[in-house]
Amino acid sequence: MYENFVPERLAKLRTQKGVSARDMSLSLGQANNYINNIENKKSLPSMPSFFYICEYLGVTPQEFFDEGNANPEALKEFIAQARQLDSRSFEYILGIMKELNTKR
């Protein structure tokens, strides 16, 4: 299961961040093909490397493995913004979200 999940999730989160596999590899202090090898299922990261990858992507390990959270960074930003709303505005936005979700 994780042999496929980790490479696919890494590629998705990296792409959302808008960074190339090469740039990410070098930013992590690894060889230029490090992330590419993980995404192409040639290797898996060590546990310490996985934590560095999560830190680089701006996600927690829990968020990395949360399949129901397609865009962890955007969700964190959404929640941070929602916390700043007054009660009336919050209820208004919540109502819009519920309405949008019933139309799917």
Side-chain angles (χ1 to χ4, degrees), residues 17-86:
K17 191 167 182 73
V19 66
S20 71
R22 182 182 187 280
D23 287 345
M24 184 174 172
S25 296
L26 296 175
S27 293
L28 293 170
Q30 300 290 334
N32 65 355
N33 62 344
Y34 177 70
I35 295 298
N36 194 37
N37 284 341
I38 295 170
E39 290 179 0
N40 289 318
K41 303 173 187 168
K42 294 179 182 175
S43 65
L44 287 172
S46 67
M47 190 59 70
S49 293
F50 172 72
F51 289 128
Y52 286 127
I53 287 169
C54 288
E55 183 178 335
Y56 180 87
L57 294 171
V59 300
T60 65
Q62 180 181 357
E63 291 166 333
F64 186 93
F65 286 104
D66 184 358
E67 294 179 74
N69 187 353
N71 195 334
E73 279 190 302
L75 181 59
K76 278 195 268 191
E77 176 65 18
F78 182 86
I79 291 169
Q81 292 296 319
R83 286 184 174 147
Q84 296 177 34
L85 296 173
D86 59 61

